[in-house]
């Protein structure tokens, strides 16, 4: 099991931007590296189910985006800092949610489905309001 801690959430106006960070730790003791994991972002708005946003897998050279965010959000990773980022531009009210990062050991990022992810952060709140 690895630990994930999100940060960077906050309040922005429609059309604004935020950059979320996901710090990943606890895997080096097991002999793993960040590249052994698919790291994904999910979000959950009040009264709605948790939905996938984006995923990055260095091992499989794969990046996925949900249709709702493609072209506006960009996922990236810094292996030296063991951190995954989500740059969110042109934010809209429908983007408001608690954003979570999650890890899937050996995952290829083929599916943005909560069932494939074992380790989760506690989330960071993103509010989009004028």
């Amino acid at each position: 099991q690895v630990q994930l801690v999100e940060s960077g959430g906050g309040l922005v106006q429609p059309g604004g931007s935020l950059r979320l960070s996901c710090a990943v730790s606890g895997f080096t003791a097991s002999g793993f590296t960040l590249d052994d994991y698919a790291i994904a972002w999910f979000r959950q708005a009040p009264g709605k189910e948790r939905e996938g946003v984006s995923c990055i897998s260095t091992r499989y050279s794969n990046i996925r985006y949900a249709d709702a965010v493609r072209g506006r959000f960009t996922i990236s990773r810094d292996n030296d800092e063991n951190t995954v980022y989500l740059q969110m531009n042109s934010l809209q009210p429908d983007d408001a949610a608690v954003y979570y990062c999650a890890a899937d050991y050996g995952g290829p990022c083929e599916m943005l489905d909560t069932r494939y992810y074992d380790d989760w952060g506690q989330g960071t709140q993103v509010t989009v309001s004028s």
Side-chain angles (χ1 to χ4, degrees):
Q1 184 174 343
V2 298
Q3 293 76 52
L4 306 98
V5 180
E6 304 94 337
S7 62
L11 172 65
V12 297
Q13 298 184 42
S17 298
L18 283 174
R19 189 193 192 202
L20 305 183
S21 298
C22 175
V24 187
S25 63
F27 53 82
T28 57
S30 301
F32 303 133
T33 70
L34 187 61
D35 288 340
D36 293 315
Y37 296 85
I39 306 297
W41 288 94
F42 294 81
R43 66 187 183 185
Q44 187 166 21
K48 296 185 178 180
E49 295 185 353
R50 192 168 299 185
E51 64 177 356
V53 176
S54 185
C55 182
I56 183 167
S57 170
T58 301
R59 178 179 178 182
Y60 290 94
S61 301
N62 195 20
I63 291 178
R64 295 275 181 175
Y65 294 102
D67 291 342
V69 307
R70 188 176 296 109
R72 298 187 296 120
F73 291 10
T74 302
I75 191 170
S76 62
R77 64 199 294 160
D78 185 336
N79 288 345
D80 291 335
E81 298 294 331
N82 292 326
T83 301
V84 176
Y85 303 97
L86 184 68
Q87 178 67 46
M88 306 186 296
N89 298 327
S90 301
L91 284 163
Q92 302 299 314
D94 285 346
D95 297 315
V98 177
Y99 282 71
Y100 302 88
C101 60
D104 176 21
Y105 177 74
C109 279
E110 290 187 352
M111 299 290 180
L112 286 168
D113 193 315
T114 59
R115 294 175 294 177
Y116 299 118
Y117 293 84
D118 297 322
D119 303 313
W120 294 79
Q122 292 187 329
T124 184
Q125 177 72 53
V126 172
T127 303
V128 185
S129 177
S130 59

Coordinates of all heavy atoms in Angstrom, one line a residue, residues 34-38 56-62 77 79 107 109:
L34 N 7.8 5.1 -8.7 CA 6.6 5.7 -9.2 C 6.1 5.2 -10.5 O 4.9 5.1 -10.8 CB 6.7 7.2 -9.2 CG 5.4 8.0 -9.5 CD1 4.4 7.8 -8.4 CD2 5.8 9.5 -9.6
D35 N 7.1 4.8 -11.4 CA 6.8 4.3 -12.7 C 6.1 2.9 -12.7 O 5.5 2.5 -13.7 CB 8.1 4.2 -13.5 CG 8.7 5.5 -13.9 OD1 7.9 6.5 -14.0 OD2 9.9 5.5 -14.3
D36 N 6.1 2.3 -11.5 CA 5.4 1.0 -11.4 C 3.9 1.2 -11.2 O 3.1 0.2 -11.2 CB 5.9 0.2 -10.2 CG 7.3 -0.3 -10.5 OD1 7.6 -0.8 -11.6 OD2 8.2 -0.2 -9.5
Y37 N 3.4 2.4 -11.1 CA 2.0 2.7 -10.8 C 1.4 3.6 -11.8 O 2.0 4.5 -12.3 CB 1.9 3.4 -9.4 CG 2.4 2.6 -8.2 CD1 3.7 2.6 -7.9 CD2 1.4 1.9 -7.5 CE1 4.1 1.8 -6.8 CE2 1.8 1.2 -6.4 CZ 3.2 1.1 -6.0 OH 3.6 0.4 -4.9
A38 N 0.2 3.2 -12.1 CA -0.7 4.2 -12.8 C -1.3 5.1 -11.7 O -1.8 4.6 -10.7 CB -1.8 3.5 -13.6
I56 N -2.3 8.7 -15.7 CA -1.0 8.6 -16.4 C -0.2 7.4 -15.9 O -0.2 7.0 -14.8 CB -0.2 9.9 -16.0 CG1 1.2 9.9 -16.8 CG2 0.1 10.0 -14.5 CD1 1.9 11.2 -16.8
S57 N 0.3 6.7 -16.9 CA 1.1 5.5 -16.7 C 2.4 5.6 -17.5 O 2.4 5.6 -18.8 CB 0.4 4.2 -17.2 OG 1.3 3.1 -17.2
T58 N 3.5 5.8 -16.9 CA 4.8 5.9 -17.6 C 5.2 4.5 -18.1 O 5.8 4.4 -19.2 CB 5.9 6.4 -16.6 OG1 5.5 7.7 -16.1 CG2 7.2 6.5 -17.3
R59 N 5.0 3.5 -17.4 CA 5.4 2.1 -17.8 C 4.8 1.8 -19.1 O 5.4 1.1 -19.9 CB 5.0 1.1 -16.7 CG 5.3 -0.3 -17.0 CD 4.9 -1.2 -15.9 NE 5.1 -2.6 -16.2 CZ 4.8 -3.6 -15.3 NH1 4.2 -3.4 -14.2 NH2 5.1 -4.9 -15.7
Y60 N 3.5 2.1 -19.3 CA 2.8 1.8 -20.5 C 2.7 3.0 -21.5 O 2.0 2.8 -22.5 CB 1.4 1.2 -20.2 CG 1.5 -0.1 -19.6 CD1 1.4 -0.3 -18.2 CD2 1.5 -1.3 -20.4 CE1 1.5 -1.5 -17.6 CE2 1.6 -2.5 -19.8 CZ 1.6 -2.7 -18.4 OH 1.6 -3.9 -17.8
S61 N 3.4 4.1 -21.2 CA 3.4 5.3 -22.0 C 1.9 5.6 -22.4 O 1.6 5.8 -23.6 CB 4.2 5.0 -23.3 OG 5.6 4.7 -22.9
N62 N 1.1 5.7 -21.4 CA -0.3 6.0 -21.7 C -0.9 7.1 -20.8 O -0.5 7.2 -19.6 CB -1.1 4.7 -21.4 CG -2.5 4.7 -22.0 OD1 -2.8 5.5 -22.9 ND2 -3.4 3.9 -21.5
R77 N 3.8 14.2 -14.4 CA 4.4 13.6 -13.2 C 5.9 14.0 -13.2 O 6.5 14.2 -14.2 CB 4.3 12.1 -13.2 CG 5.0 11.4 -14.3 CD 4.5 9.9 -14.5 NE 4.7 9.1 -13.3 CZ 4.1 8.0 -13.0 NH1 3.1 7.6 -13.8 NH2 4.4 7.2 -12.0
N79 N 9.1 12.4 -11.4 CA 9.6 11.3 -10.7 C 10.6 11.6 -9.6 O 10.7 10.9 -8.6 CB 10.2 10.3 -11.7 CG 9.2 9.6 -12.5 OD1 8.0 9.6 -12.3 ND2 9.6 8.9 -13.6
G107 N -0.8 -0.8 -13.3 CA -2.0 -0.4 -14.2 C -1.5 0.3 -15.5 O -0.6 1.0 -15.5
C109 N -3.6 2.3 -17.3 CA -4.5 3.5 -17.5 C -5.5 3.3 -18.7 O -5.8 4.3 -19.4 CB -3.7 4.8 -17.8 SG -3.0 5.6 -16.3

